[in-house]
Structures are given as C-alpha cells and as structure tokens.
Amino acid sequence: MRILIGSFRFYFISFLFSRANGFLTLRRPTAYAFPVCNYSYLNLSSVSEAQAPKTARVLNFSHNIIEKITKKDLEGFDALEVLDLSYNQIKDIEPGAFESLLSLVSVNLSSNDRKLLVSGLPPHLKLLPTSKASGSLQLSKYFDKSSEAAPEFSASAEELPHSGGPSVLQNVNPRLRRSTVNLLRRAERNVTVSPTATLRPNPCGAPINGILNLSNSQLSEEELMLKLDPDLCQAQLDSILELDISHSDLEMDLLSLFVLFLPMKNVQSIDASYNKLTINILDVEAICNFPFTTLLFLNISNNPINSLDTLCLPPTIKVIDLSFTNISQIPQNFAKKMFDLENMYVQGNHFIYTVRPEITNGVSKIPPGTVHINAISFVRNQAGTPIESLPKKVKHLKMSNCSIVELPEWFADTMEELLFLDLSSNRISVLPDLPASLQHLDISNSDIKVIPPSFKSVSNLTIFNIQNNKITDVHPEYFPLTLTKCDISKNKLNMLSLTDALEKLEYLNVSGNLITRLKPASHLSALANLDSSHNLISELPDHFGKSLPTLKYFNLSGNKISFLQRGSLPASLIELDISNNAITTIVENTFGQLTSLSVLTVQGKHFFCNCDLYWFVNVYIRNPRLQINGKENLRCSFPPDRRGSLVESSNLTLLHCSLGIQMAITACVAILVVLVLTGLCWRFDGLWYVRMGWYWCMAKRKQYEKRPENKPFDAFISYSEHDATWTKENLLEKLETDGFKICYHERDFKPGHPVLGNIFYCIENSHKVLFVLSPSFVNSCWCQYELYFAEHRVLNENQDSLIMIVLEDLPPNSLPQKFSKLRKLLKRKTYLKWSPEEHKQKMFWRQLAAVLQTTNEPLVRAENGPAQDVYEME
C-alpha cells in the first residue's frame, strides 16, 4: 500500500509539473462488480426497515440494533449470496427464515446474543464451529471437503447452543478461518465468476443521500484507500457530496489524504477531525494546484498538524477548522494559499512569540558559559506577532484560547470584510484597533482595563462581549451608536450611567461588578434586557422605571436592596429577579403596577411577616397568571416569634390586618339578618300583611275617619269571579226580592274611587258581610282583602257581623297560610251550606233571611257562647 501511495504522489507531482488540463488517468482493469448494499451503523431495528433491493447479492447489516430475524425480512432475495448480521442484538431467528435463500453462501451471526438459537437450517447451510475465543457464529454453505473449488469462508464461533447439534462445538479446518469482512474485501479483476468460485464483495463506501459516513470506524490508511479506490468505486465517488472520516484514528499526512480525495469530483464538505493527521513534510507550494472546484468546507480540528508552513489544500475552501491542531503561528504564505477563505476557526492553539537572531556574515561566537535563548513565549519576533497573515475575505474568525497578546498592526486595515471576531480567553491587555466592518466582538476573559475613545470607530458593531476583564470605568460615549447587545459582567465597575449614547442598546449585562447605584441619565427606548445582579446596589431611584419604558427582563439578584418604591420598576417588565437581596416586604403599591409581569424570582430570609406583607401572601402569590420562583424558600425575620418560619405559612388574615374589618362584618351580619327576616316574611306572606295594613291605614285616614251610625246596606257580598253567576242569579236576586238592600260591587262601587276604598266603604256601611266560600274564593286576591277588612271591622266594632256561605266544600288543607283566620272561623262560627237539592234550598233561604234580620252580637259573647258548638244549617 505504501508503494501505491507513492505512485499516487508520483503521478500527482508529474501532473502538476506538466500543467495538464486533466488529472493523470491510470489504466483501470475491468472491475468485478455485483449488487452490494451496506447498511451498517444505521441503528436499524429490523432488516425490512432498510428496504434493500431484492436483486442484492451481498447485504451488510452489521453494527445495528436488530433483535429478531423473520421470514418476511428475507423474502424475495433470490440472488443473495452473502449476509452479514454481526454485531447486533439478535436473540431469535424464526425457523425457516433462510430456507428461501437458495443462493445463500454465507451468513455471519457473530457478536450477537449469547443465547441465540439457530434451528431449522436449510440443507445447503451448516453451522461451522470454532474456538470460544472468537465470540462469533457463522453459517456457511456446505461443500464436500474433497472439492478443490470449495471457498475459504470464515467460521469462527463460540460455544453456542444449536438445535439438533452437539452441545460443544469443535474446531474445523483452518482453511475456513477467514472472516466475512475479508470475504467482502476480496475482489479480483478481469475474472468471470462461476457458481463455485470465491465471492468478491464490493469494498466501496456507499454514500446515502450524498453523504459517506465513515466516522468512528477505526480506519487504516489501506482500508480508506480500498473504500475510495477509483478503479472500483468511481460511481460511488462521483455521488459523494459530504465525507465524514472523523473519530477514526486515521494516521496519514494531509497531502496523501487529499490525493485519495482527487477522484471525488463533487465533494463539498470533508470532516477529518479527531484523527492523527500530520502536515506533509515536503513543501509543494510551488506545484500545489488541486483540481477541486466544489470543496467548500474542511474540518481537520483535533489533529497533530503542528505547523501550517507546508500546508497544501484546495484554494476553493471557504470554511476551515484548525482548532486544537497544535499550531503555533499562521505563516506568511497562508493568506496566499487560502485566498477565498471566509470562516476560520483556530481556537485552542498556542501561538508562540519568538525572538529571531539577526543574520550576520560572520559566524557569531558565543562566549563560554553563555546560555543562548532562542524561543521565549509572549515576546515579539521580527514580524511582531505569530499571526503573520490572514486571508482578506475572512468574515468569521474565531481565535479564542490561543495565548494571543496583541493583534498585528496591519489587522484593522487588512481585514476589511471581517464581521465576527472571537478573541476570548487570551492575554490581551489593550483593546486593539479593529476594522470598521466588525459586527460581533468577543474579547472576554482577558486583561483589558480601559475602553479607549477609538473604540467608537467600530461603527457597525452590534454585539460586544468584554466580560471577566479588569474594566474599572465605562464611558458610554466611547461605545458605537449601533451597539444592541453588551456584556460587561465580572469586571470592577463601581458606577454605571445609562446615557442616550446607548439609544439602540437592547441587552446589557453588568452583573458581578461593584456597582452601588444605577443612574439612568436619559430615556433609553430600546433596552429590553438588563442584568445587574451580584453588585452592591442598595436602592433604585423612583424615576428608574420611566427611564427604561421597554425593559422586559431585569435581574437584580445578589444585591443589597431592602425596599423597592413606587416607580422604580418599569411597567413593561415580563421577567424580574430580586432574589438574595435584603428585601423586607413586597407591596401592592410597587408590584401591582407590573401588569405584564409573568415570572418573578424571589428568595430571601429578611421578610417582615406583618400586615404589610398581607397582599403578597394572600393575593399576589396566588395570581394564576404569575409564576413565582422560590416562594417556597422565603423566610421571616420579624416578628421574633416567627423568625425562620416560611412566609407562605404566615397567618395573615383579613380580619387581623384590616382596621375596619369588624364594622364590615357587623354590617354583613345585619344584612344577613334582614335577608333572613325578609325570607321568612316572604315564606309566610308577611309582605301581604304589611301591604294590607298599609292599605287599611290609608283607607281609614283618607276616607273613613268617622264610622257611619246608620248603615244603608243590610249586607255586602264578597265572592270570587268564578262564583259570580250563582251570586248574581241566585243569592242577589233572592235577597233583594225578599226586601233586603244588598251592596253589590258591580253596581254599588263608586266610579273613580280606589278599589280598596270602595271595598272598605261597602264593608263599613253594611250591617252584615256575606262570604261566598269556594276553592276559587281562597285564590282570589280581592277576596283576601275583603276578608281582611271585614275581620278588622269586627275587631274595631267588637260585633260579629260575618256570615259564611259555603258554596263548595273547602278541605282544611286547601286553605293557604294567610287564610289561617278563615280556617279558625270555619271551625268556630256557624256557617250556611248551599245544597243542590231543592228541599234543602228552602231551609237555606229561610235561615239566611233570619240571620240577616238579627242584630250583631258582641264578639266576646259570640266566641265564648254556644256558637262554639259548630253545626251546619242545611
């Protein structure tokens, strides 16, 4: 293989010297090729998941997570000859799974589950056992030992159970001890294969969707050459767009590696990181001319490159990663070689500043006992810096953790297209001159003490990170006006003035300084995120919130704030962190105005658990739209008896904290009593009685202040409209025929007078009051009024003038509660009952006429006399 590499180098250099238009073409023998499908390292859980072509003759499913083989997985593979299932997790093989594979020659089941059972083998396959040490299981087509053409297949196997076979497998002919991997690599050229000839699988790397992934494969140089052999694999090489050979422990020099890549005409990206690649020893700069036209990305990070002096790479590369490659400088010719480079990553290297001795004609004589030092770190060399050149087109440059002390003097004028620069974790003590095109600068973790006025000349800068330096003072007027994000955390600032020079600033981090007071001197309309945590701030000015009207994220944790007054916090806040301060209370006057706040982080042990904290404990902490982080760790410091207890468990009730709460409770109880009484009145018709009493008083006061001595009517008839026909045609007509003067409301009520007034008038001016009782009577509102007024007349005159006529039976349970007096009257008084029988009607009219002609007896006598023996007059 070394001879092959040498021949490649020879042809490559010969071509470059001849300056031919096309690369040298070697004579390519006819390749032995047949359908080979490689599905290794794809995390497949089943064979069918790969959807392999049914015409395949070689299938490689090694290094997956297959657990079971079924008949369905292997149906239709009539031409399959080699099947590699090694390095999986196969526990079960369905009986007869291999019977349909009549062309099958070899099956590799090595490095699967130790309890794997292989049963139901077809006649043309047998189990080839070997020693225990190999840890593999191999099925191979059976050939007669006498056959000269019997292929040499690998058959290493450990002691595994086999259905129908011996319990301990014995060693076989050593001729069968080559692995399936060797079988896949063997491919003879210009050979016609007979059915009994040795199989020669295609060794080429097969790209998937244009990506050839050979990472983590522990490749040797010879194995990589075989997978990228243009004589066998040109079709595959033409389809490769991205190549990944990272983490493969590959040992080669860069020039030899790129010679192997020459046949890949369309490759765009190569990742060769985490290997053992070295720089080529020969300097071929004069003839370094690769034919690549599409290669744009190269990652050779984490390799022992050590030097870029003899670097020979395609100039079309736009992105290169040289991180952690042990390079100590960027040589003068680097910019000329990589003139199209746009993104460059060199972090994690160690740039050495060396002293070069002056060259003189004579040989310098060193006095005896003199120590000559020719390499000292952090000392300028003649070029002034180990960064001797950089491509002018670089837009993204990452040089963090490279032991850089300063940038070269030509940097600002040369790098006119630079947009992103990362100089973090170096030992730069003075902010260097920078190109005006720069938009993102990270110079954190350095030794810078001052930001000079010239910094404003970086007129396009939007993101500036200078955290963890030694800045003691900041002048906002020195900052570029375009700045939107600035991180000055972990410095030594003791004061911060926010002026209108930062009018476009959206994010500011000043945490971890020594700031005692924030002074917004103007209206910052763009600032949305401010981190001032872990300082010495003791208070915020009351106009702070108005100065930052767009602030949404504010971190004040780790300061010494004891109280936040009204107006100190912007109403636009969405997230606020005030944890680990000296805050004693959170009041509605300040936090109630923060209507947009959704996340509040608060921790501490200095809270006064008195009534000033009532709103926070009982209202604010239960707001469903607000997420309060750390509320379960808040502790009380006052009163002394609650010191150290949880704020959330404080018994701060409204009755305890409100001065007027007792009066409010009293008023509520009084209202409740009134409501209860009102309900009782409603239940027992209290409103009706009140209304009747009011009507009675009004009628008595306005119309009947004096009771008449001579009553013009003999009787007033009270009845319901339902009984109007019987009352008019029978009762009224009969009584007036007998000579009685009856007050009848349809005829005798005075027009224009109130109805209640007419009722009262008729009752007061009648000797008797006849009540025609029926179920309709008790449902009539006016009948209730008439009965009520008649009862009051009886009480006032102390004379029983009521005559009850029962037209229809009234069950006692049918009388409402407000007719309780009627119920008593029916039990106490003698009443007349109308009967549809004619002989009883004569007695009814005779008794009624007799009652109407009698005088009214006193009420006491009527109640205590013989009337208590109730009987019916029929």
Side-chain angles (χ1 to χ4, degrees), residues 670-720:
I671 293 173
L672 181 62
V673 171
V674 171
L675 291 176
V676 170
L677 294 176
T678 303
L680 292 175
C681 290
W682 181 267
R683 174 67 179 82
F684 297 105
D685 300 308
L687 294 178
W688 185 85
Y689 288 108
V690 173
R691 189 166 56 250
M692 286 305 306
W694 173 256
Y695 290 151
W696 172 268
C697 294
M698 293 299 295
K700 291 285 289 181
R701 183 176 64 83
K702 292 183 178 180
Q703 299 184 18
Y704 306 105
E705 296 179 356
K706 294 183 179 181
R707 187 179 296 109
E709 297 181 359
N710 298 322
K711 302 183 185 298
F713 300 105
D714 293 318
F716 169 70
I717 303 176
S718 175
Y719 62 94
S720 69

Side-chain angles (χ1 to χ4, degrees), residues 453-502:
S454 59
F455 182 58
K456 194 170 185 178
S457 63
V458 191
S459 55
N460 292 303
L461 192 67
T462 58
I463 299 176
F464 181 37
N465 184 357
I466 194 171
Q467 69 166 334
N468 198 20
N469 278 268
K470 299 178 181 179
I471 304 294
T472 57
D473 192 13
V474 170
H475 298 277
E477 60 272 15
Y478 295 167
F479 286 68
L481 298 177
T482 55
L483 201 62
T484 60
K485 184 176 181 179
C486 183
D487 189 343
I488 324 177
S489 60
K490 299 179 181 178
N491 280 276
K492 297 182 179 181
L493 298 176
N494 52 33
M495 187 181 68
L496 180 64
S497 295
L498 304 176
T499 67
D500 54 4
L502 306 173

Side-chain angles (χ1 to χ4, degrees), residues 7 100 127 140 203 211 215 283 363 448 481 499 510 630 673 764:
S7 64
S100 61
L127 185 65
S140 183
I211 301 175
S215 61
D283 187 0
V363 179
I448 297 175
L481 298 177
T499 67
V510 292
V673 171
E764 289 288 332

